[in-house]
Amino acid sequence: ACLTSVDRQFVETMSVLQRALFSTARSVAGSLEALRTPALVCHRDVLERNAERMRERATKLGCLLRPHFKTMKTLEGAAIATGGIRRRITVSTLAEASFLADGGWDDILYAVPLTPDKMKDVLALHARLESFTVMVDHPAQVEALLGLLPGRVAPDKPLRVVVGVDCGYHRDGCDPTDP
C-alpha cells in the first residue's frame, strides 16, 4: 500500500510518541509497583479536562452530575470529578461513604440496594451528613426502612431514598415494567 506524505508523517509521529510512552512506562514501572492501592495514577491534565467536559455536558442537559467514586477511589480524584464542591458523589460501599464523609463530602448517594445488615451504618451516615441517599429495588427494603426509621430520623431531615431501575444489565434495580 502507498502512504501519502501525511500518512508517513502520522506514522512517524505515532512511532515517536509510542517510544516515549514505553520509555516513560519503563521508568515508572518500579515506582508504580510500589504504590499501595487505591492510588490514582493518571495524566492529571487529561483527568481534569475530561471531568470538566463531563460537568459541562451535564449542565447543558440540565442535569446535576453525581460522579461515581469507584472510578477514582481517592479524595483528590473525587474533588476533581466534582469540580471541588465536595457534594453530589455516588458510592458502592458504606466504607467509601464513610471515607468521603471523613474527607468533607456531605452529599452522598449509596447506589447499591440495601441489605438489613447495613441499616445501622446507614442511620449513622444519615445523621452525620447533610444529605445521604440510599437506593432500594425491592419492597422488602422499603419495609425494613419504614420499620427502622420512626423515632430514629428527625422529621426535618428525612432519609432520602431513590428506587433503582434495571436498565437492561440485570445486575440490580426493579424491572421497569413491575407495578
Side-chain angles (χ1 to χ4, degrees):
C2 295
L3 295 177
T4 66
S5 62
V6 173
D7 291 334
R8 276 193 288 281
Q9 185 178 10
F10 175 77
V11 169
E12 289 171 16
T13 301
M14 291 308 294
S15 179
V16 168
L17 289 173
Q18 188 175 31
R19 283 194 305 273
L21 177 64
F22 288 141
S23 174
T24 302
R26 279 192 302 275
S27 69
V28 298
S31 54
L32 285 177
E33 290 172 359
L35 286 176
R36 293 210 38 169
T37 58
L40 180 62
V41 179
C42 66
H43 292 282
R44 185 182 181 102
D45 60 328
V46 174
L47 176 63
E48 289 174 347
R49 194 169 50 247
N50 287 346
E52 178 63 26
R53 282 192 3 232
M54 188 172 54
R55 289 190 305 273
E56 287 174 359
R57 176 82 171 129
T59 299
K60 285 179 184 172
L61 292 171
C63 301
L64 293 175
L65 183 65
R66 189 177 281 276
H68 207 298
F69 184 67
K70 70 181 176 183
T71 59
M72 74 262 331
K73 299 255 188 207
T74 66
L75 295 176
E76 185 176 13
I80 291 169
T82 60
I85 63 170
R86 294 184 185 267
R87 296 189 56 74
R88 294 191 311 265
I89 197 154
T90 303
V91 298
S92 292
T93 70
L94 293 173
E96 291 171 351
S98 292
F99 177 74
L100 287 166
D102 290 344
W105 268 259
D106 65 0
D107 179 357
I108 299 171
L109 165 64
Y110 176 52
V112 174
L114 284 178
T115 55
D117 61 310
K118 295 182 173 67
M119 297 296 184
K120 190 175 181 178
D121 293 327
V122 164
L123 287 176
L125 282 161
H126 171 68
R128 185 174 170 197
L129 298 169
E130 182 179 318
S131 178
F132 186 62
T133 306
V134 296
M135 183 179 88
V136 297
D137 67 355
H138 193 275
Q141 295 161 335
V142 175
E143 290 171 19
L145 280 172
L146 291 173
L148 180 72
L149 297 179
R152 294 191 175 128
V153 174
D156 61 335
K157 187 181 174 189
L159 178 65
R160 294 171 49 141
V161 179
V162 297
V163 176
V165 177
D166 180 2
C167 296
Y169 294 109
H170 308 296
R171 291 176 44 197
D172 54 34
C174 302
D175 185 314
T177 60
D178 283 350

